[in-house]
Amino acid sequence: MIEIDVQKTIGQLVVERLDRARVFEAFGLDYCCGGKKTIGEACAEKGKNADEVLAALREHDAATPPASERDWGQATLSELVDHIVATHHEYLRRELPRLQEMAAKVALVHGDRHPEMVQVHELFKRFQGDQELHMAKEEAVLFPMCKLLDTATEMPRTFCAGTLRHPIQAMEREHDIAGDDLSEMRRLTNDFTPPPDACNTFRVLLAGLAELEEDMHMHIHKENNILFPRALAKEDSLRAAKAG
């Protein structure tokens, strides 16, 4: 039997194997913003059976070869930052305008019969603006600070209020808001399920929103559960060395 350490958080379990994310997604368990919970805690919160989740994880691990994607937990902070920007930030820059255009069209054409799509459009407009501002702040402030830590032998003088904790906490709060927005879009669209009278644009929009949610979950996971803890650990080690 494949052993799963139930004392580890679900975020840590996904750090070990990124493809486990699909199991947690299938059970509706949040491994990104909610990645600091154990399986038991996450299941209790969502009313899921922890034994079923563990069995699914064991079956997945036994049947699925480990994903070939790089182990980002072993990358340098600079490599991880560059990967997040090149992979996930660029994905958002490409997809947000496309999805916004479709959301506006669907709301206009189908809004009378499907008023929920008017709500989706309004919610998506806010989501797009929030994400564009969020990425700009990360790339201008937090990510350069993380890169400085890679080769630093003492705390860089340029840090905000002398620590990364404050900007990281702000980014994590914004991640929570993004996760809530995506969950609400999923609820409004019945799990991104097209109605029988949906046109092709309607269907492509819902498929795009589902893909966006999946990418955002992995994006936030890499920041909340890998980049931020490792950056804070490096900061703590520099402080400890100075104090010693």
Side-chain angles (χ1 to χ4, degrees), residues 99-125 189 199 201-203 205-206 209:
L99 293 172
Q100 161 60 18
E101 182 178 349
M102 285 192 289
K105 181 177 180 180
V106 170
L108 179 65
V109 175
H110 297 275
D112 289 343
R113 295 189 307 280
H114 297 283
E116 72 279 2
M117 297 311 296
V118 177
Q119 293 177 265
V120 168
H121 178 225
E122 292 301 316
L123 182 55
F124 192 87
K125 282 196 296 186
T189 59
C199 67
T201 301
F202 201 149
R203 293 174 183 276
L205 170 64
L206 294 180
L209 290 175

Side-chain angles (χ1 to χ4, degrees), residues 159-222:
F159 274 23
C160 294
T163 178
L164 279 181
R165 279 180 169 77
H166 303 307
I168 282 177
Q169 287 169 355
M171 294 300 99
E172 288 182 331
R173 285 193 295 270
E174 292 180 10
H175 287 167
D176 289 342
I177 293 170
D180 290 343
D181 286 346
L182 290 164
S183 294
E184 180 63 5
M185 283 187 269
R186 173 177 282 278
R187 185 192 70 79
L188 287 168
T189 59
N190 189 27
D191 294 331
F192 306 120
T193 304
D197 61 339
C199 67
N200 283 341
T201 301
F202 201 149
R203 293 174 183 276
V204 172
L205 170 64
L206 294 180
L209 290 175
E211 181 186 88
L212 171 69
E213 181 189 58
E214 183 175 351
D215 188 84
M216 281 294 296
H217 285 173
M218 187 59 66
H219 176 178
I220 293 172
H221 160 69
K222 289 173 183 175

Side-chain angles (χ1 to χ4, degrees), residues 78-185:
S78 294
E79 289 171 333
L80 181 52
V81 163
D82 289 343
H83 164 73
I84 289 170
V85 171
T87 302
H88 299 291
H89 284 200
E90 287 306 311
Y91 171 84
L92 287 174
R93 290 191 174 100
R94 181 178 68 250
E95 289 297 301
L96 289 176
R98 184 180 77 93
L99 293 172
Q100 161 60 18
E101 182 178 349
M102 285 192 289
K105 181 177 180 180
V106 170
L108 179 65
V109 175
H110 297 275
D112 289 343
R113 295 189 307 280
H114 297 283
E116 72 279 2
M117 297 311 296
V118 177
Q119 293 177 265
V120 168
H121 178 225
E122 292 301 316
L123 182 55
F124 192 87
K125 282 196 296 186
R126 190 189 75 196
F127 178 86
Q128 179 182 11
D130 287 349
Q131 292 314 301
E132 288 171 346
L133 179 59
H134 180 87
M135 289 189 292
K137 288 188 290 188
E138 284 186 332
E139 292 178 20
V141 180
L142 181 56
F143 284 180
M145 290 179 177
C146 291
K147 285 188 164 189
L148 281 175
L149 285 172
D150 253 346
T151 56
T153 56
E154 60 182 25
M155 281 299 295
R157 297 179 182 275
T158 56
F159 274 23
C160 294
T163 178
L164 279 181
R165 279 180 169 77
H166 303 307
I168 282 177
Q169 287 169 355
M171 294 300 99
E172 288 182 331
R173 285 193 295 270
E174 292 180 10
H175 287 167
D176 289 342
I177 293 170
D180 290 343
D181 286 346
L182 290 164
S183 294
E184 180 63 5
M185 283 187 269

